[in-house]
C-alpha cells in the first residue's frame, strides 16, 4: 500500500523568504509519480509540480521546486520568495501507474505567509 | 483548457435521503475519481473509474456507489445519506499518460442534517 506523510500541520513564513514543506512517502512500486497541489481558501485544487520516480533531475516550475531524495523517500516542496498569495493548504500526493492513476494524498500543510 | 465541473457547490440534504453528485469533464479523460476531504485527513479516495461502466473501490467506499454510463460523466451516489457523510466532495479526472496531473472540479460541500 502507498502512503504519504506530511508532518507539518501548519507553517509560517515571512514574505520574500523561502520555505520548505516536508513530504515523505512509502511505496513498493518501482514506477510512480509525486505531485504537489495547492488549495487556497476558495477550495479549488491547483496543480503545482510533478516528479517522476525515474527523473534524475529535481523538478522546477517557476518559484516551486521539488527536492527529490529517492533513497530517503522524500519529496519536499521548496517555495522561493514567498508571496502573500502563497497562503494556502498544500498537499503532497503519490500516483502509482499500476493502479489506474489514482492519487494517494497526505494530510496537508497549511502555510501562512506573513507580511 | 481542461474543465471539470460539479453539479452543485453547496448542498443540504436530510438524513436518509438519496443524494446524487454529478461530475463532468470535457477533456476525453479515461480516468475519473471521487474524493472526500475532511480537516486533518486530507483527500481520501472513495471510488474511481478507468473506463465507461468500469469502477473500482477506493479507500472509503462504504455508504457510496458510483455510475459511469458515459466517458465524460461520473456520478457519486449516497444511497441513504447520514450525518457522517457531511464533507467536501471533490471530483477529478486524468488521462492515462504517465506524468499527467489530475484536474479537479470546484468541489461540492455537502451537509447532511
Amino acid at each position: 500500500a502507498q502512503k504519504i506523510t506530511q508532518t507539518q500541520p501548519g507553517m509560517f513564513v515571512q514574505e520574500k523568504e523561502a520555505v520548505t514543506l516536508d513530504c515523505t512517502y512509502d511505496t513498493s512500486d518501482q514506477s510512480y509519480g509525486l505531485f504537489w497541489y495547492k488549495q487556497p481558501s476558495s477550495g479549488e485544487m491547483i496543480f503545482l509540480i510533478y516528479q517522476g520516480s525515474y527523473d534524475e533531475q529535481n523538478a522546477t516550475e517557476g518559484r516551486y521546486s521539488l527536492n527529490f531524495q529517492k533513497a530517503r523517500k522524500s519529496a519536499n516542496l521548496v517555495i522561493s520568495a514567498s508571496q502573500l498569495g502563497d497562503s494556502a493548504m498544500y498537499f503532497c500526493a503519490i500516483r502509482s501507474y499500476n493502479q489506474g492513476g489514482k492519487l494517494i494524498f497526505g494530510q496537508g500543510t497549511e502555510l501562512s505567509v506573513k507580511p | 483548457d481542461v474543465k471539470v465541473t460539479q453539479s452543485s457547490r453547496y448542498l443540504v440534504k436530510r438524513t436518509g435521503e438519496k443524494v446524487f453528485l454529478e461530475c463532468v469533464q470535457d477533456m476525453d479523460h479515461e480516468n475519473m475519481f471521487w474524493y472526500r476531504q475532511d480537516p486533518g485527513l486530507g483527500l481520501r479516495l472513495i471510488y474511481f473509474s478507468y473506463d465507461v461502466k468500469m469502477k473500482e473501490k477506493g479507500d472509503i467506499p462504504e455508504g457510496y456507489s458510483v455510475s459511469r454510463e458515459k466517458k465524460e460523466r461520473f456520478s457519486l451516489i449516497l444511497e441513504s445519506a447520514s450525518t457522517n457523510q457531511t464533507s467536501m466532495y471533490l471530483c477529478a479526472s486524468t488521462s492515462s499518460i504517465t506524468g499527467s496531473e489530475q484536474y479537479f472540479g470546484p468541489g461540492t460541500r455537502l451537509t447532511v442534517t
Side-chain angles (χ1 to χ4, degrees):
Chain A
Q2 297 180 305
K3 187 177 179 182
I4 291 280
T5 302
Q6 294 179 254
T7 57
Q8 305 154 313
M11 290 275 289
F12 288 93
V13 65
Q14 206 67 36
E15 193 178 9
K16 298 180 185 176
E17 291 186 352
V19 63
T20 298
L21 305 184
D22 293 342
C23 172
T24 57
Y25 61 92
D26 191 19
T27 181
S28 55
D29 293 333
Q30 296 301 310
S31 179
Y32 53 89
L34 294 155
F35 297 77
W36 277 91
Y37 282 83
K38 172 185 177 181
Q39 187 181 43
S41 57
S42 54
E44 77 266 33
M45 294 287 284
I46 301 167
F47 165 72
L48 295 178
I49 197 166
Y50 163 81
Q51 178 88 39
S53 57
Y54 292 115
D55 294 340
E56 294 186 354
Q57 300 232 351
N58 286 342
T60 60
E61 289 285 348
R63 294 186 299 112
Y64 304 107
S65 60
L66 200 153
N67 184 1
F68 182 46
Q69 298 186 46
K70 194 171 181 178
R72 298 180 61 187
K73 294 191 174 178
S74 165
N76 298 339
L77 177 71
V78 180
I79 306 175
S80 63
S82 297
Q83 301 172 356
L84 296 178
D86 293 334
S87 294
M89 283 291 288
Y90 288 82
F91 291 97
C92 180
I94 186 169
R95 176 181 181 179
S96 168
Y97 298 108
N98 297 329
Q99 298 182 46
K102 69 178 185 180
L103 286 177
I104 303 297
F105 285 84
Q107 306 93 317
T109 295
E110 184 169 9
L111 177 67
S112 297
V113 180
K114 293 182 171 181
Chain B
D1 205 23
V2 176
K3 205 168 221 179
V4 180
T5 57
Q6 295 183 229
S7 49
S8 307
R9 287 302 303 271
Y10 300 94
L11 209 52
V12 180
K13 295 291 181 181
R14 294 194 182 276
T15 302
E17 278 193 82
K18 191 168 186 175
V19 182
F20 292 87
L21 302 182
E22 303 283 338
C23 175
V24 178
Q25 52 93 5
D26 66 358
M27 279 300 289
D28 203 35
H29 284 164
E30 298 86 3
N31 304 321
M32 297 187 74
F33 308 84
W34 275 106
Y35 298 90
R36 68 175 279 177
Q37 182 179 9
D38 301 287
L41 297 177
L43 280 74
R44 293 179 292 165
L45 183 64
I46 305 171
Y47 266 97
F48 66 103
S49 169
Y50 50 87
D51 203 350
V52 175
K53 297 192 186 293
M54 305 298 286
K55 59 187 179 185
E56 293 272 348
K57 291 180 180 179
D59 299 316
I60 51 164
E62 297 78 18
Y64 303 95
S65 62
V66 290
S67 172
R68 193 167 181 200
E69 297 296 319
K70 294 185 177 182
K71 191 175 185 179
E72 67 271 19
R73 188 180 297 270
F74 192 35
S75 302
L76 180 69
I77 303 154
L78 287 67
E79 295 290 343
S80 177
S82 64
T83 54
N84 62 13
Q85 292 178 311
T86 291
S87 186
M88 170 71 91
Y89 290 86
L90 289 159
C91 175
S93 73
T94 188
S95 78
S96 299
I97 298 171
T98 300
S100 297
E101 66 189 84
Q102 282 196 7
Y103 294 86
F104 284 82
T108 295
R109 187 166 292 282
L110 172 67
T111 302
V112 183
T113 61

